[in-house]
Amino acid sequence: MTAQIPDKVYHGSSEYNLIGYKGDNLPTPQTYGIKPVMWSTACYRGYVATYAVQKSGLFLSSLHIGRLDTDSAWVAINGVEPETVYEEGYSVSAANPGERVMKRWEDGRIYNNLNLPTYFSGGILVGRVFIRELYVHMGFGKPYQYETVLELLFHEGHMVDLIDRSEQAAAWRARVIADHEAQQRRIDGYVGNEPLDKLNDRSEAPRDERLKGIEWRFSLDYSEWFGEY
């Protein structure tokens, strides 16, 4: 599995990653009858959105969509037609190994400058300054992986409160690191004393717990994330 590309949120002069939300009416491609399909292993849901907080209001700024379901079609949003995105890179020449060949390909379509006001009621959790040492190769980033974490609360599209969750995220991070170190000590204690297959049997979580862990990694519903912190 692969870490997923997060949505972006601009607040003040800073860019944040959207790491969670709860509530109603946060616009997505489906809001406009557009049905994305898997874009890549880094974007299973098929799109990346950008939102902006302007004058205490939450706006949808852009939508970058990779591919559409066969029964869906590109349509204008707020009078804006999607523009084809092109990427450039290099590949190795089949005829001459070692020679790099320039390539250009389509990489979905993007709706720019939408500037659409939302009527979102609920909360958006955003983070910035990702801690690379805590990267997990699965799902979306979680609060403990960011130095700064803010909760933005909205009512019908207007921001009504801002809560700094950075200290709670730091407490969560400390617990994750402590748990990891304890697990490492456990592994170090086994190595050389017992067969590795016994170590794997003892350290592997039950299947149901592993599935719940995967589901949690891909979830953006942060309703219960701060209960212990």
Side-chain angles (χ1 to χ4, degrees):
M1 294 187 182
T2 309
Q4 299 297 288
I5 302 172
D7 292 334
K8 299 294 183 182
V9 178
Y10 286 88
H11 174 55
S13 59
S14 299
E15 176 189 292
Y16 296 83
N17 286 347
L18 191 156
I19 54 180
Y21 72 89
K22 58 182 180 181
D24 302 311
N25 299 323
L26 186 66
T28 65
Q30 290 82 354
T31 304
Y32 309 101
I34 302 172
K35 302 176 185 178
V37 295
M38 177 177 157
W39 188 353
S40 71
T41 56
C43 193
Y44 285 120
R45 61 184 182 165
Y47 73 91
V48 178
T50 300
Y51 304 93
V53 180
Q54 305 171 5
K55 298 180 180 179
S56 296
L58 181 66
F59 289 76
L60 175 64
S61 300
S62 70
L63 279 174
H64 189 179
I65 302 171
R67 296 187 299 120
L68 299 186
D69 189 271
T70 53
D71 68 349
S72 187
W74 299 103
V75 297
I77 300 177
N78 197 33
V80 176
E81 296 286 349
E83 302 174 8
T84 301
V85 176
Y86 293 95
E87 297 289 347
E88 294 182 348
Y90 292 90
S91 65
V92 178
S93 170
N96 300 299
E99 178 185 351
R100 295 199 306 170
V101 179
M102 186 69 177
K103 293 182 65 177
R104 188 170 185 260
W105 65 93
E106 292 186 9
D107 192 27
R109 301 186 187 185
I110 189 169
Y111 293 88
N112 276 318
N113 302 314
L114 289 172
N115 199 34
L116 267 172
T118 76
Y119 299 92
F120 175 69
S121 291
I124 291 179
L125 200 66
V126 298
R128 65 188 302 266
V129 190
F130 184 79
I131 302 170
R132 298 297 303 174
E133 293 79 6
L134 298 178
Y135 170 80
V136 175
H137 200 56
M138 182 192 301
F140 293 99
K142 298 306 181 202
Y144 73 86
Q145 296 170 289
Y146 291 85
E147 290 186 8
T148 300
V149 178
L150 303 178
E151 183 178 14
L152 312 178
L153 300 175
F154 296 86
H155 177 68
E156 295 183 351
H158 297 283
M159 193 167 77
V160 295
D161 202 0
L162 183 154
I163 303 172
D164 192 331
R165 297 287 189 179
S166 302
E167 287 190 11
Q168 289 167 291
W172 187 346
R173 179 162 58 250
R175 179 173 169 178
V176 168
I177 293 172
D179 287 348
H180 173 76
E181 291 175 346
Q183 176 70 0
Q184 189 60 51
R185 287 194 296 271
R186 178 168 171 258
I187 292 172
D188 292 342
Y190 281 131
V191 173
N193 298 320
E194 296 188 41
L196 287 178
D197 58 346
K198 289 187 177 181
L199 171 61
N200 291 335
D201 289 344
R202 294 187 182 189
S203 62
E204 187 173 307
R207 183 173 183 275
D208 287 349
E209 289 186 19
R210 298 201 306 273
L211 291 176
K212 287 181 181 178
I214 293 172
E215 182 180 348
W216 180 77
R217 272 285 161 196
F218 281 88
S219 173
L220 289 171
D221 181 359
Y222 74 94
S223 301
E224 300 179 358
W225 288 1
F226 294 105
E228 299 181 24
Y229 305 97

